[in-house]
Amino acid sequence: MARQDGYGRRPDGWSAAGRTDAGPYGTPPADREQTTRHGCVTVLMAPFVTAARFQRPGREDRLADPAISGAQVARTCIGLGATAWLFYAYSLRQGAKDVIDEKLTEMLIAAAVLMVVGPLAVGAFVFAARPPLRDRYRRRLPGPLTAFGVLFAGAALLAFSFRRDLHDRLFVGAGDAGFVLSLLVGLTSLFLLPFVLTSSVLCVHHSFRTADVHEVLPPLLSPVVVVAMSVLQAVDGPPVNAPHSVWFLFLTGAPLSVTALSFWELRRLRTRYGITLRGALGR
């Protein structure tokens, strides 16, 4: 006989055989609602989580200095703050949609610059290393190659999903199967758009996982990308009606700050950890 003093009572909703308010599969309603909410969040975050998984460096023995990571985050925040101030302080020279499209294009161009400069720099680095180290760096290439390949494939599929003329040529004559394929392509673009944009941001931030090969590569590549972006912005002109002096400071501030941070990263790697470019090459 069950005790009635509070110690032998079963929680509400429980019987001798188990919970009585459980669902058809034995899951309580509250747990089912929580699982459903978590499932929706998981689906919405899937493009961002997948992009981070492919674009973040993954070598386990890679040196991760909190000071360097903090400086990189601070630099990004300062850059975003300066951009926000520029758009807040001065009026736009064109429509908001055109400005957003232009900024997204610049971000994709930065990723494209890295896709050209990155493999050349990594290949030259591996080739210049002495034979004992060359084989080690060659075994670390799958990380950057994966980052390159995933972004390139995602961008190509996204571009294809936006080409309605190609869809008509490929799918119209296929009847119902073509309609289903066209629908699948459209649904895939909903995943690819945030995935490609997030990958573009992360690949620039992490320099296409070149830290997987060696820690000195990201600070060497970052100034190249920022200088290329500044040149493109200078050619396109300012998106706002800002004075030439303000626009000049905005254009020169990014490459100068990134270059200074890269020199500081290389110096910190040398003074704190004894990592130098000559040592990385075995010379």
Side-chain angles (χ1 to χ4, degrees), residues 105-121 148 151 200 203-204 207-208 221-232:
T105 302
E106 289 177 358
M107 187 169 53
L108 292 175
I109 290 176
V113 171
L114 265 179
M115 291 183 70
V116 175
V117 177
L120 295 176
F148 283 114
L151 180 58
S200 300
C203 80
V204 174
S207 300
F208 274 114
L221 288 176
S222 296
V224 177
V225 179
V226 177
V227 169
M229 291 304 304
S230 297
V231 172
L232 291 175

Side-chain angles (χ1 to χ4, degrees), residues 225-247:
V225 179
V226 177
V227 169
M229 291 304 304
S230 297
V231 172
L232 291 175
Q233 291 176 345
V235 172
D236 292 338
V240 296
N241 295 308
H244 293 293
S245 57
V246 175
W247 181 239

Side-chain angles (χ1 to χ4, degrees), residues 126-138:
V126 174
F127 180 78
R130 293 279 178 89
L133 296 174
R134 188 180 303 169
D135 294 336
R136 181 190 305 173
Y137 298 150
R138 191 180 295 117

